[in-house]
Amino acid sequence: MPAFAQSTPDASIGAGGSFGASDNGRPALVEPSTPALSVEDVNKPLADNEAAFTADQLDYDTEKHIVTATGDVRMIRQGNRMRADKVIWNRDSDDVHAYGNVAIQNPQGDMTYAQDAELTDSMKDGVAQDMLLVLENGGRMAAARGARKDGVYTLNHAAYTPCDVTTSKGCPKEPIWKITAAKVVYDPSRHRVSYRDARLTFLGLPIFWLPAFSHPDGSGAGGNSGLLVPDVSYNSRNGMMYAQPYYIQFAPNRDLTVTPYVFTSVLPMLSAEYRSLSEKGAWRVQGYLTDSSQSTTATTGGSKSVRGYIEANGTWQLSPNWTLTGSLRAVTDKTFLQRYDLNYDDTLRSVVKAERIDGDSYLSIAGWAFQTLVPNVPGSNLAQARQGQQPIAIPAIDYRRRIGDPWLGGTLTLQANTLGLIRTDGQDKQRAFVSAEWQKWLLTGMGQLVTFTAYGRGDIYHSDQNDLTQTVVYQGHPGWEGRGIAAAAVDVRWPFVGDVWGGTQRITPRIQFAGSPRTRNMAIPNEDSRAVDLEDTNLFSLNRFPGYDRWEDGARITYGVEYALDLPRFSLRSDIGQSYRFNNRDSILPPGTGLSGKTSDIVGRATVRYGSFVSVTERFRLDKNSFAIRRNEIDATLGSANTYLQVGYLNLSRNIDPSIEDLRDHEEVRLGARLAIGKRWSLFGSTTLDLSDETQTVSASQSQTLTDLDDGIDPVKSRVGLAYEDDCFEASVQWRRNYAAFGDARYGNSFQFRLAFKNLGR
């Protein structure tokens, strides 16, 4: 078999050694220094019947019509380039024989090295001894003998590797893995490498043998159907798992991936993913199917049934203005996705949406459906756990048009919106409104940026079965209800910019006056404005509620200051503010939201960056009376791209009425880290800890609950792993544990193993 590296490089040629054979007579996969292949005075494409060459000496036998070129011979013909010590060209037979340090480059950029090569005069076909083929994408093949015919390479007693075969100092080294075979066929048109009697060697040890085998050449082009990288893992629910994807390419724009899953403790599972791309758009559909026991009340047992999951999505650009988007997600039961480690979502959303967008208008026509996966157990949101409470939103129509104001120079935005919500066991609602918003921006001579806003809206609602909504303040009145909304605001910013400490700083005081007449809120069912919470992002909003069903009326003044500092490799962005309302609105703004009472809580944000090494962002809310921290959110990243620590902390301590399920208090910390060990190894891990101080009473029969006992420090999920990665090989082992589980998706340890050989996936 051929060697991958020469043991004794030829100093006269350079760091790579001589072309072709190594000192032990076997072909090497270490290419020499790339020779010059250009021909002087040839700076334009040649015709197919033209050839150009140079040499130190040229002889021509007029009787036999043989051209002999010696001494740094270079030749170009039909896009192929060659360099050799000596070339004999028989013009009658069109045979070209090249001797000594032969290097041939085809139009695709692949390089062939040899000591002796017999070629046609076009240099497209030929035979070479002690051949080395270096592909443009980095893979390489060496053979005792190789041939090229009609663009296809056939190598005998050959070896292949995409790995580096030299050290950083240019010395030969054995690659991490290689494939040796009695015969190798490389077809550039199919971008595929095929083997007969193939052996894969890893770290010098043979791993497996196959009578026939093929894989892509690594270019990413062509019809590369075949096996993908397998997935191997273990968990206490399903035992050892082996998943072997098989990729089928029907056309450059259509493919199918079929993956059988084999488990040691449960029956197999099958998944398939189909993808398609066209001039109008792209879509994909993926599904999983198996037969296994299902239980939501115990960790073992349960009835056996067919279980599965399907997801599909796509986007089509129907015209320059119209786009159609669709997404479907559905599962047979609440525990399937978590049991098979597919995902841990608590709600599946499906939507079909048509959008029209131009320079001045936007139209969206959509329909939504939701499937809840929230367990119906103590400690969870029981209203969200009932499928009958999940709405079907159809139609959801939103139209907006922007019109220039010819009189005052502002911008007028018109909006029309309608929404219908249907539930099988809950409140139904229909809503429609039209609104108009006028805005004008003005820059004064002193540098103040003044924004004037006027807003008006008319609503009409209809609802029934309101008493099925669990939270009373969200129910509203059944039947038809109407509402009118009007508001106006003036917002003033005054930035002050100056030089400081070799950089610049900007201080921007801001004040806003906003007013709105008293609005009918409690008669309207509340569907989209439940999670109201004062933050720095909505402090200066005209309506601090997140949706349309609630409107913050009354008169108020909001004030704050923004600060920015930019120094070499250092930046600081911060803002802080508060608002004062001239009347109380406790009925729609419950205590704990930061907005009840006349004076709001104090909110702010600060972001500090030092080069690419430190990034820290903190968002906070302070109690207006005691300055106690009601919201504290920190996201920090310390380190480089290879070694870093990520810290996330969230503390919502708002003391909100627990009957309002959308505003539960919570405290958690998230940690993630990666430690680079040398150039190739890395240790990584992450964990999420629930620090909420709540206690649940759990009986022995309720072991399926999310947490058996919340003592203030409870892990939610954790993982630790070790990974290796180089230019042609990846390996990792990872331990994971998810502590939020119920039913047959019980928690436990999971181990995942991954081995990836470059170009061997497919």
Side-chain angles (χ1 to χ4, degrees):
M1 283 299 168
F4 276 86
Q6 294 173 273
S7 59
T8 308
D10 186 344
S12 65
I13 299 298
S18 61
F19 297 4
S22 61
D23 63 339
N24 58 6
R26 296 183 302 170
L29 282 180
V30 179
E31 73 269 23
S33 301
T34 303
L37 297 173
S38 61
V39 175
E40 293 183 4
D41 300 326
V42 177
N43 51 16
K44 64 179 181 179
L46 300 173
D48 287 346
N49 61 349
E50 291 182 315
F53 64 89
T54 61
D56 294 341
Q57 182 177 338
L58 185 67
D59 296 317
Y60 182 64
D61 187 333
T62 56
E63 293 183 359
K64 297 181 179 179
H65 299 158
I66 294 177
V67 179
T68 302
T70 57
D72 191 19
V73 183
R74 306 181 193 180
M75 185 174 179
I76 301 177
R77 182 74 187 274
Q78 296 185 8
N80 296 282
R81 297 171 179 265
M82 180 179 69
R83 187 272 176 201
D85 293 340
K86 181 180 180 179
V87 173
I88 299 177
W89 179 10
N90 189 325
R91 300 192 64 184
D92 291 337
S93 62
D94 290 332
D95 292 332
V96 176
H97 201 148
Y99 302 89
N101 298 324
V102 181
I104 305 171
Q105 183 180 47
N106 64 18
Q108 291 75 37
D110 300 334
M111 291 287 298
T112 301
Y113 300 93
Q115 282 297 319
D116 188 318
E118 297 179 18
L119 311 168
T120 61
D121 63 345
S122 65
M123 295 187 293
K124 288 185 176 180
D125 299 333
V127 178
Q129 305 297 325
D130 293 339
M131 175 180 169
L132 169 63
L133 175 61
V134 180
L135 306 183
E136 189 275 334
N137 56 67
R140 60 192 66 212
M141 289 172 265
R145 184 178 184 275
R148 181 185 180 192
K149 184 176 179 56
D150 298 329
V152 178
Y153 294 87
T154 301
L155 294 82
N156 297 317
H157 300 290
Y160 166 86
T161 185
C163 306
D164 283 340
V165 294
T166 57
T167 65
S168 59
K169 297 181 179 180
C171 299
K173 71 172 184 178
E174 187 72 10
I176 290 180
W177 67 269
K178 63 182 178 182
I179 298 176
T180 57
K183 182 179 179 180
V184 178
V185 177
Y186 168 49
D187 188 347
S189 63
R190 296 180 59 238
H191 301 276
R192 196 130 196 107
V193 183
S194 302
Y195 303 86
R196 182 171 61 83
D197 190 14
R199 289 170 173 81
L200 174 63
T201 302
F202 179 69
L203 295 177
L205 299 175
I207 296 181
F208 64 80
W209 169 86
L210 290 173
F213 177 64
S214 71
H215 63 78
D217 62 3
S219 64
N224 293 328
S225 298
L227 297 174
L228 300 180
V229 177
D231 185 11
V232 180
S233 65
Y234 171 84
N235 63 45
S236 56
R237 300 185 297 272
N238 306 316
M240 182 69 71
M241 182 201 77
Y242 179 84
Q244 180 57 72
Y246 187 83
Y247 176 83
I248 306 170
Q249 187 175 66
F250 301 111
N253 64 327
R254 293 182 293 112
D255 58 42
L256 172 68
T257 302
V258 179
T259 307
Y261 295 77
V262 180
F263 307 91
T264 59
S265 300
V266 295
L267 291 177
M269 181 172 66
L270 182 67
S271 75
E273 179 185 21
Y274 180 83
R275 302 185 301 177
S276 178
L277 173 67
S278 66
E279 294 181 353
K280 292 293 185 179
W283 63 279
R284 62 177 289 273
V285 58
Q286 184 175 19
Y288 297 81
L289 186 66
T290 188
D291 185 271
S292 65
S293 60
Q294 172 190 347
S295 173
T296 58
T297 59
T299 58
T300 59
S303 59
K304 225 174 217 188
S305 61
V306 176
R307 308 174 69 185
Y309 169 67
I310 185 172
E311 63 176 357
N313 56 71
T315 300
W316 294 268
Q317 191 71 41
L318 305 180
S319 72
N321 300 116
W322 280 97
T323 303
L324 180 64
T325 302
S327 176
L328 168 68
R329 299 183 70 192
V331 68
T332 55
D333 55 82
K334 290 185 176 183
T335 61
F336 176 80
L337 295 176
Q338 185 170 337
R339 171 168 182 171
Y340 290 95
D341 286 324
L342 299 180
N343 65 60
Y344 291 85
D345 295 339
D346 60 5
T347 303
L348 302 183
R349 299 171 177 84
S350 299
V351 60
V352 176
K353 180 189 296 186
E355 293 178 290
R356 186 187 186 280
I357 304 174
D358 60 27
D360 294 309
S361 67
Y362 170 77
L363 172 64
S364 170
I365 304 173
W368 292 82
F370 305 87
Q371 182 180 4
T372 180
L373 304 184
V374 176
N376 188 15
V377 296
S380 64
N381 189 324
L382 298 182
Q384 293 183 6
R386 293 169 53 191
Q387 182 60 40
Q389 289 281 345
Q390 304 307 307
I392 298 175
I394 185 170
I397 303 175
D398 188 53
Y399 176 75
R400 307 182 190 199
R401 184 166 188 84
R402 184 175 57 197
I403 302 173
D405 177 8
W407 299 285
L408 300 177
T411 301
L412 181 65
T413 302
L414 305 177
Q415 181 181 8
N417 182 283
T418 182
L419 173 67
L421 298 180
I422 303 172
R423 293 180 173 88
T424 59
D425 186 23
Q427 176 177 305
D428 298 335
K429 186 187 80 169
Q430 297 81 42
R431 177 192 73 198
F433 70 79
V434 292
S435 68
E437 182 179 37
W438 174 83
Q439 278 193 328
K440 179 179 175 60
W441 296 268
L442 177 64
L443 185 63
T444 69
M446 298 182 65
Q448 297 106 338
L449 177 62
V450 184
T451 304
F452 299 94
T453 303
Y455 183 81
R457 196 175 94 195
D459 302 343
I460 184 170
Y461 283 79
H462 178 269
S463 60
D464 54 30
Q465 296 183 312
N466 300 53
D467 57 339
L468 295 180
T469 296
Q470 179 174 312
T471 305
V472 176
V473 295
Y474 296 155
Q475 291 180 354
H477 297 168
W480 292 95
E481 295 289 342
R483 180 175 62 179
I485 296 173
V490 179
D491 192 306
V492 181
R493 302 185 188 188
W494 195 354
F496 296 89
V497 183
D499 298 332
V500 62
W501 302 321
T504 60
Q505 68 173 346
R506 183 177 69 252
I507 304 174
T508 307
R510 182 177 181 182
I511 188 170
Q512 179 195 69
F513 299 90
S516 177
R518 192 172 185 86
T519 304
R520 297 182 72 235
N521 277 296
M522 301 309 295
I524 304 300
N526 184 4
E527 296 278 1
D528 63 10
S529 302
R530 299 181 176 185
V532 58
D533 196 16
L534 181 63
E535 305 177 35
D536 63 292
T537 55
N538 65 4
L539 177 64
F540 288 91
S541 298
L542 194 61
N543 180 33
R544 264 87 71 100
F545 284 96
Y548 296 111
D549 291 341
R550 290 288 182 267
W551 181 265
E552 186 181 0
D553 52 15
R556 66 179 184 268
I557 178 174
T558 306
Y559 41 87
V561 62
E562 302 171 2
Y563 180 78
L565 175 64
D566 290 292
L567 302 175
R569 296 185 56 80
F570 178 86
S571 68
L572 169 65
R573 298 287 186 275
S574 65
D575 58 75
I576 189 171
Q578 188 182 33
S579 67
Y580 177 81
R581 184 183 294 105
F582 296 99
N583 63 320
N584 291 321
R585 292 300 279 130
D586 292 341
S587 58
I588 63 170
L589 296 165
T593 60
L595 290 166
S596 59
K598 293 187 175 182
T599 304
S600 77
D601 286 349
I602 303 169
V603 294
R605 174 201 295 260
T607 300
V608 176
R609 298 182 184 275
Y610 180 74
S612 59
F613 186 76
V614 176
S615 176
V616 180
T617 298
E618 179 173 12
R619 302 171 61 198
F620 61 89
R621 195 178 95 201
L622 304 179
D623 188 277
K624 59 181 178 291
N625 297 317
S626 64
F627 296 104
I629 299 177
R630 297 303 180 194
R631 180 191 188 106
N632 189 16
E633 188 172 359
I634 301 173
D635 288 289
T637 300
L638 309 175
S640 62
N642 296 322
T643 298
Y644 56 82
L645 172 65
Q646 293 178 328
V647 179
Y649 175 74
L650 173 64
N651 184 9
L652 299 177
S653 181
R654 300 168 295 187
N655 297 326
I656 295 179
D657 186 346
S659 65
I660 306 176
E661 71 271 13
D662 299 278
L663 299 173
R664 298 279 180 90
D665 286 342
H666 182 67
E667 184 178 9
E668 73 172 28
V669 62
R670 304 176 305 277
L671 300 174
R674 184 181 188 273
L675 175 64
I677 306 173
K679 294 182 178 180
R680 305 300 186 188
W681 292 90
S682 63
L683 183 66
F684 60 91
S686 65
T687 186
T688 300
L689 302 176
D690 186 356
L691 306 181
S692 303
D693 189 11
E694 299 175 357
T695 301
Q696 303 177 40
T697 302
V698 181
S699 65
S701 62
Q702 294 176 334
S703 58
Q704 76 280 2
T705 56
L706 293 177
T707 52
D708 291 343
L709 183 63
D710 191 344
D711 59 4
I713 303 178
D714 285 300
V716 178
K717 54 185 175 181
S718 303
R719 69 178 183 126
V720 175
L722 179 66
Y724 173 88
E725 180 179 359
D726 61 22
D727 60 300
C728 66
F729 175 72
E730 296 179 20
S732 66
V733 58
Q734 182 179 164
W735 167 83
R736 292 184 302 168
R737 185 177 177 91
N738 193 306
Y739 297 84
F742 74 106
D744 60 302
R746 61 189 185 275
Y747 56 74
N749 297 319
S750 297
F751 299 90
Q752 185 175 35
F753 311 93
R754 173 179 169 81
L755 296 175
F757 297 86
K758 181 181 178 181
N759 296 344
L760 294 193
R762 292 183 214 164

